[in-house]
Amino acid sequence: METLLVVGAGPKALAVAAKSHVLRKLGLPAPRVIVVEAHAVGGNWLPSGGWTDGQHRLGTSPEKDVGFPYHSTWARGHNREIDEAMRAFSWSAFLVAHGTYAEWIDRGRPSPQHHVWAKYLQWVGRSIDLELVLGSVKGISAAADGWLVQVADADGGLSEIDCDAVMITGPGRSDRALTAHPKVLSISEFWDLAGRRALPPSSRAAVVGGGETAGSALDELIRHEMLTISVISPKATLYTRGESYFENSLYSDPTKWSALGMEERRDVIRRTDRGVFSVRVQESLLGDNRVHHLQGRVVNIADRDDRVALTLRNDMRADQVHSFDLVVDATGGQPLWFLDLFDSGATDLLELAVGGPLTQDRIENAIGYDLALSGLNAKLYLPNMAALAQGPGFPNLSCLGELSDRVLRSDLAQRGRVARERVSSAR
Ligand SMILES: Cc1cc2nc3c(=O)[nH]c(=O)nc-3n(C[C@H](O)[C@H](O)[C@H](O)COP(=O)(O)OP(=O)(O)OC[C@H]3O[C@@H](n4cnc5c(N)ncnc54)[C@H](O)[C@@H]3O)c2cc1C
């Protein structure tokens, strides 16, 4: 049996592991899925993960769960059975198992808090007997016919896992701030202090960033006593995410995506995903006259009279300096964080595959239908980099069922190829 190692036990890992479990139960070929997780299943949705205090609510509907959209395309003749079997791990099955389904419906299907979403993921993990390795992936090197993954456990002990394919998930670290300054908080410091009700009293606060991470931080800050709260982002205004059927359908069903030109795809992502606030967050900010938007990129940070002075740069305008007594760096994850895991030999292979030094642009353009980097012998699945090439829903929670189909179908195709090669060499 092939082994797929997933870095991080978030929704993507659970979606792929659940689908693989279902396929095997139905007697269909699927890899062994090993998930390596540094904190806990659903760790980034818990306060300890450093991206939330766990109390804020999911932006998307929880019905976009590990099987959504329940429209499997894995293999003709089996898709209906696969969809049926996946429903056992749905959000509604979780509520039924906990006796809260009717209440959730009667309360108008509210979005769950992040820590409840983590509980759902943990329940899926338990239900499928998830093969979980608790530890942090520290390095990845190329092996003869796959990857060698180095894992450090909580005590720092190192072990190696040999696998055929690797899938990377998650946004990377949240503990880095724009600069080391006691009044400039990384997003993990912010949530740690907010969770302990220990945010420093401030009159002028600023949140740098205009996306989901900033949205959650603002949703929290407006509950505290601040005179003003500025949102700093390079765009002309704070955009609300387009959430109508027309936009959402491109996320749930990426089949139309390949028919769009690159500029059209970038336009959809700009309007609906990157650097936009959900309608719910935007509504709570609109009603608060302390919240203002400042346009610009932060290019300098300095101490000024007990405050932090941020220099904001905009094309065609002179730099502006604004000072604050609390700054939260909510610029979000680093899309290429995982490259630090690869040793020099593996990095050479990745560079050969994309045809040059590893830039976000090159990697995004090299993601194939199976959500893996094209041109590598051993599969490296990078769904977080797949928005532009394959569909805007793959990096988030919008089509986890489709994501798992694509990853696992490629494994099937790979095995078909290996089997055909074996047959022809035996002849
Ligand atoms: C505050 C916030 C709210 C969001 N809300 C939504 C939403 O409502 N809807 C939506 O679609 N998207 C939302 N997103 C985007 C969200 O990040 C993705 O949709 C989704 O969580 C990504 O799932 P994932 O499986 O890739 O990773 P994650 O859920 O981020 O899981 C990654 C896991 O990897 C682990 N990990 C990290 N490094 C290592 C390592 N070296 N070794 C081992 N394990 C490691 C982490 O501990 C973590 O558990 C939100 C993001 C943020 C920051």
Side-chain angles (χ1 to χ4, degrees):
M1 198 196 297
E2 305 239 323
T3 304
L4 164 64
L5 183 143
V6 185
V7 182
K12 295 192 185 89
L14 271 298
V16 170
K19 181 69 64 71
S20 172
H21 170 88
V22 158
L23 293 176
R24 276 183 279 133
K25 285 266 171 214
L26 293 173
L28 298 167
R32 170 185 177 198
V33 178
I34 300 178
V35 180
V36 183
E37 167 56 50
H39 299 290
V41 173
N44 278 359
W45 303 89
L46 295 168
S48 51
W51 289 97
T52 173
D53 61 352
Q55 301 301 317
H56 289 265
R57 289 181 187 275
L58 208 61
T60 43
S61 161
E63 286 163 298
K64 295 196 173 183
D65 53 29
V66 297
F68 186 82
Y70 296 94
H71 188 253
S72 188
T73 52
W74 185 84
R76 230 178 267 155
H78 298 288
N79 293 328
R80 190 172 288 182
E81 301 176 81
I82 295 171
D83 290 338
E84 280 297 313
M86 280 301 290
R87 292 204 66 82
F89 310 110
S90 63
W91 168 254
S92 51
F94 165 71
L95 296 181
V96 170
H98 290 82
T100 51
Y101 182 61
E103 182 184 347
W104 181 70
I105 296 283
D106 289 344
R107 285 184 186 276
R109 300 169 179 245
S111 272
Q113 290 167 305
H114 290 161
H115 75 94
V116 179
W117 185 244
K119 280 204 182 93
Y120 161 64
L121 298 174
Q122 291 170 358
W123 172 80
V124 175
R126 281 194 303 277
S127 310
I128 61 170
D129 232 345
L130 180 72
E131 196 171 335
L132 182 70
V133 175
L134 272 181
S136 187
V137 171
K138 293 291 180 198
I140 302 178
S141 49
D145 51 1
W147 304 101
L148 215 51
V149 178
Q150 199 175 56
V151 180
D153 65 23
D155 304 321
L158 287 179
S159 59
E160 275 190 331
I161 303 177
D162 202 341
C163 58
D164 301 286
V166 165
M167 180 166 96
I168 307 280
T169 69
R173 294 170 61 166
S174 61
D175 56 357
R176 295 202 181 117
L178 288 162
T179 188
H181 188 288
K183 290 187 172 171
V184 180
L185 304 180
S186 69
I187 199 69
S188 80
E189 287 170 316
F190 171 76
W191 284 119
D192 177 48
L193 291 170
R196 293 191 281 117
R197 299 268 129 214
L199 272 179
S202 325
S203 55
R204 281 170 58 82
V207 172
V208 185
E212 198 85 57
T213 307
S216 282
L218 283 160
D219 210 24
E220 174 65 32
L221 265 185
I222 56 175
R223 300 168 196 206
H224 294 254
E225 285 191 12
M226 312 268 161
L227 277 183
T228 62
I229 302 169
S230 302
V231 192
I232 298 173
S233 77
K235 295 191 179 173
T237 183
L238 294 178
Y239 289 100
T240 314
R241 178 187 297 148
E243 291 180 13
S244 77
Y245 164 73
F246 302 105
E247 288 114 348
N248 285 344
S249 64
L250 276 176
Y251 278 71
S252 305
D253 177 7
T255 46
K256 281 189 257 165
W257 195 245
S258 58
L260 301 178
M262 277 300 169
E263 212 23 65
E264 287 169 315
R265 296 184 197 187
R266 286 202 177 88
D267 192 41
V268 172
I269 291 171
R270 255 195 310 270
R271 283 162 184 261
T272 56
D273 194 26
R274 305 254 162 90
V276 290
F277 290 158
S278 66
V279 172
R280 197 170 39 76
V281 165
Q282 193 76 290
E283 271 168 6
S284 54
L285 301 185
L286 284 177
D288 194 318
N289 62 10
R290 298 170 301 162
V291 180
H292 303 277
H293 175 241
L294 293 173
Q295 187 186 5
R297 284 184 188 283
V298 177
V299 291
N300 192 44
I301 303 172
D303 267 321
R304 187 199 268 179
D305 306 331
D306 222 21
R307 285 187 161 181
V308 190
L310 302 184
T311 306
L312 306 191
R313 181 157 299 165
N314 285 290
D315 296 342
M316 327 270 284
R317 266 185 270 160
D319 287 354
Q320 285 182 317
V321 180
H322 296 268
S323 38
F324 303 96
D325 42 24
L326 181 71
V327 175
V328 183
D329 177 357
T331 47
Q334 301 85 37
L336 301 184
W337 70 272
F338 60 90
L339 292 180
D340 293 345
L341 299 176
F342 289 85
D343 71 7
S344 61
T347 303
D348 287 349
L349 289 179
L350 302 191
E351 287 185 344
L352 274 174
V354 303
L358 296 168
T359 60
Q360 183 167 349
D361 206 38
R362 278 207 184 90
I363 296 178
E364 283 181 340
N365 279 296
I367 302 293
Y369 184 83
D370 58 3
L371 313 182
L373 197 68
S374 307
L376 284 171
N377 285 336
K379 289 287 175 194
L380 174 63
Y381 298 102
L382 299 175
N384 282 350
M385 306 294 290
L388 196 63
Q390 298 303 331
F394 290 116
N396 41 67
L397 308 178
S398 302
C399 57
L400 292 167
E402 172 73 18
L403 180 151
S404 60
D405 267 1
R406 294 224 186 167
V407 168
L408 296 173
R409 204 161 68 164
S410 109
D411 179 74
L412 177 74
Q414 177 80 1
R415 263 182 286 170
R417 186 177 62 76
V418 172
R420 278 195 302 280
E421 279 169 7
R422 280 201 195 114
V423 170
S424 61
S425 63
R427 273 186 192 140

